Amino acid sequence: MGLTAPLYEALRKYAASRPVPFHMPGHKLGRGFPAWYRKNLCRLDVTEIPDMDNLHSPTGVIAQAQRLAAEAFKADRTYFLVNGSTVGIHGAIYAACRPGERIAVARDCHKSVVDGIGLAGARPVYIKTLFNLNFGIPSVVDPAEVEKTLDENPDIAAVLITRPNYYGICSDLKAIERIVHSRGKLLIVDEAHGAHLAFSPRLPAPAMEAGADICVQSAHKTLPALTQGAYLHIRGSRVDSERLEYYLDLAQTTSPSFLIMSSLDIAREIMQREGERRLGLLLDSIDRFKKDISALEGLLVLGPADVPKGELDAARLVINVRGLGMAGFEAEGLLRSEYKIQVEMSDLFNIVCISTVSDSPAFLRRLAGALKELARDSHPGEGLPPVDLEELPLPEMAMAPGELTKLKTEKVELKKAVGRISAGMLIPYPPGIPVIFPGEVISGPVVDHILRIVALGGKVNGLDGGIEVRVVV
């Protein structure tokens, strides 16, 4: 008899397999929640009945919970988001830019940033990020590049920086803040992967402390919160809060989940009360893990020396497996199938593990043991074809993302798309960082890069049938 609820059954099967979850959400299959909350979720799934307040006009318990969050994250005001960081990013862009205005965006931004720019009718100016050739990943945004961008484009309304990025790399936000504010611009930080930074002095300073005007955090990524739970924080007088609130109301569901909102409240309370101690224990376990695998031939762990112009979130593990003769995609598959360890993501050469206060030290020991076996059984001279990493040049922008809605498009084979204007995004997913944005000209190096990812087992959103891409006619 076939399954009648395939998604539900798949979730049950995964949970029953007792995996080691080095992936989001940060509650790690419920481990991070109080027992009563975990066991009674369905009883808490209510609506805007008396005493439960209204997210779109909070005056009661939601307003109180948001004020407590603002205190914990050192913000002037905090908004609960139930549509993920995406809705916060969109609201921030709407608040900062009128149609036709320009916004400077770090090139390693998430797809939600470009979607928001298109919806707002704004025009992006991309800031090139540095690139780490050893790991093949985007690194920091150099403050000098921010300064150059603003000097060359004085009409820019705001600057949006992703920090930390998916790999835990943190740009020098304090230096960027001085540059941006000295020119009277708004600084928005996509801190989706950094909601935990506020709770330990052993981690890079959070965006609010570094002087950002707007900060958006995915609580569900690194805190014990349910998926889609996020915060938007504002600080200072530069933000038009009424305009921001208007667009948040416009974009968020009118049936907000009280489960998600209550998990945001719980996550804040747990971290405010126990975060520093529990993060300390986690970071100590990670230090032991790194020492344990440091001598393994063929493995590299991203460390401070790999980010000379920035800092690292020590809770994020980026492990390069190229020396084992395999792609990151293959290593992810082996860890899942042979060891019941599910990492957050993989790319050409790396696996990425999200660790949070909900993790057990035993999880890291399991991971270390599995990596030792992979290293022992590897054949570095076999398997992985030669790959010459190179930094992709910034594509030519032929039009703003929002202009594409007026144009006809067609599908063509990716190999035949060189020189054509992309009508969508090409996104290795994860990490969700597009290599081509809407309105940009597809180049030969981009096509080669995409085909390499696919050949080695990666997935690329935006490829129809795995071979076609949509372009402007």
Side-chain angles (χ1 to χ4, degrees):
M1 182 177 179
L3 296 176
T4 56
L7 175 57
Y8 169 66
E9 293 295 340
L11 289 168
R12 273 182 35 133
K13 182 179 179 180
Y14 179 65
S17 71
R18 302 181 67 83
V20 175
F22 280 109
H23 58 79
M24 63 181 80
H27 60 74
K28 301 303 181 82
L29 304 182
R31 285 177 50 87
F33 287 137
W36 192 94
Y37 185 83
R38 185 171 61 245
K39 294 176 181 178
N40 292 276
L41 279 179
C42 289
R43 296 173 65 186
L44 305 179
D45 189 17
V46 299
T47 189
E48 293 95 337
I49 56 178
D51 300 327
M52 293 304 155
D53 209 357
N54 184 333
L55 179 63
H56 291 276
S57 183
T59 59
V61 289
I62 294 176
Q64 182 182 357
Q66 291 184 151
R67 284 195 296 270
L68 289 170
E71 293 174 9
F73 290 96
K74 297 180 174 58
D76 290 343
R77 188 174 300 177
T78 292
Y79 301 88
F80 283 2
L81 308 177
V82 295
N83 292 70
S85 280
T86 294
V87 74
I89 292 296
H90 291 180
I93 292 170
Y94 271 114
C97 300
R98 269 63 175 176
E101 289 188 330
R102 299 205 290 172
I103 180 170
V105 180
R107 184 67 192 188
D108 64 342
C109 66
H110 189 262
K111 70 177 293 289
S112 60
V113 172
V114 183
D115 288 337
I117 291 172
L119 289 170
R123 301 184 65 87
V125 177
Y126 296 114
I127 304 172
K128 192 174 183 179
T129 59
L130 299 182
F131 190 77
N132 185 304
L133 281 171
N134 289 331
F135 285 79
I137 60 177
S139 186
V140 299
V141 177
D142 192 333
E145 282 294 318
V146 177
E147 187 168 30
K148 177 184 176 184
T149 300
L150 291 176
D151 286 345
E152 293 177 350
N153 304 274
D155 61 333
I156 281 173
V159 175
L160 195 156
I161 301 293
T162 302
R163 177 193 180 270
N165 67 12
Y166 218 131
Y167 300 93
I169 296 173
C170 296
S171 302
D172 185 349
L173 194 59
K174 289 184 178 179
I176 293 172
E177 179 272 330
R178 288 193 293 269
I179 293 166
V180 172
H181 286 158
S182 69
R183 288 159 173 77
K185 311 300 182 183
L186 201 67
L187 177 59
I188 304 168
V189 179
D190 178 355
E191 201 172 51
H193 289 267
H196 61 301
L197 297 181
F199 301 101
S200 175
R202 296 170 61 179
L203 298 174
M208 284 287 95
E209 183 179 318
D213 300 299
I214 302 177
C215 164
V216 182
Q217 299 172 331
S218 289
H220 70 94
K221 286 182 169 66
T222 61
L223 303 185
L226 292 174
T227 298
Q228 291 184 215
Y231 306 109
L232 185 148
H233 310 294
I234 62 174
R235 191 171 182 179
S237 58
R238 298 180 184 88
V239 181
D240 185 341
S241 59
E242 289 187 0
R243 181 176 172 86
L244 172 66
E245 290 171 7
Y246 172 81
Y247 283 107
L248 288 179
D249 284 349
L250 184 71
Q252 291 213 89
T253 175
T254 55
S255 300
S257 167
F258 278 81
L259 291 180
I260 293 175
M261 289 187 286
S262 63
S263 77
L264 290 172
D265 198 21
I266 287 176
R268 183 274 312 160
E269 197 274 338
I270 289 173
M271 297 304 291
Q272 194 170 19
R273 176 168 45 87
E274 300 180 352
E276 183 172 350
R277 179 185 66 83
R278 291 173 63 171
L279 279 169
L281 294 173
L282 172 68
L283 296 175
D284 289 344
S285 294
I286 289 174
D287 287 343
R288 290 192 292 271
F289 166 83
K290 290 180 177 178
K291 290 178 182 177
D292 198 19
I293 68 167
S294 61
L296 296 180
E297 187 175 354
L299 293 176
L300 295 174
V301 180
L302 188 71
D306 300 301
V307 192
K309 291 189 175 183
E311 296 179 273
L312 274 180
D313 169 13
R316 186 62 51 98
L317 285 170
V318 181
I319 303 166
N320 186 295
V321 298
R322 185 180 188 181
L324 301 183
M326 64 179 69
F329 309 122
E330 182 182 358
E332 176 186 359
L334 288 171
L335 288 171
R336 179 174 60 250
S337 62
E338 302 296 327
Y339 303 95
K340 294 185 180 179
I341 296 173
Q342 180 59 59
V343 303
E344 166 63 21
M345 63 155 283
S346 59
D347 59 25
L348 279 173
F349 300 135
N350 310 291
I351 57 172
V352 178
C353 297
I354 291 181
S355 55
T356 76
V357 297
S358 305
D359 282 319
S360 162
F363 289 176
L364 288 161
R365 291 195 293 270
R366 287 264 303 271
L367 179 61
L371 290 172
K372 288 177 182 178
E373 292 192 18
L374 287 184
R376 182 195 65 198
D377 299 337
S378 68
H379 303 282
E382 305 173 11
L384 186 66
V387 178
D388 294 323
L389 272 182
E390 61 180 12
E391 183 178 2
L392 292 175
L394 283 180
E396 174 191 350
M397 187 170 69
M399 60 185 66
E403 297 174 1
L404 290 164
T405 57
K406 309 170 187 176
L407 303 176
K408 292 183 178 180
T409 63
E410 64 179 353
K411 292 181 182 178
V412 299
E413 186 180 350
L414 179 62
K415 292 180 180 179
K416 298 179 181 179
V418 175
R420 303 289 297 272
I421 299 172
S422 178
M425 301 186 204
L426 290 176
I427 316 168
Y429 216 101
I433 302 170
V435 293
I436 280 289
F437 293 124
E440 292 183 336
V441 178
I442 300 172
S443 67
V446 165
V447 170
D448 293 341
H449 179 70
I450 292 295
L451 292 176
R452 183 185 301 128
I453 289 173
V454 173
L456 290 174
K459 296 180 180 179
V460 179
N461 288 4
L463 282 182
D464 291 333
I467 57 171
E468 290 186 323
V469 62
R470 188 166 291 279
V471 297
V472 175
V473 174

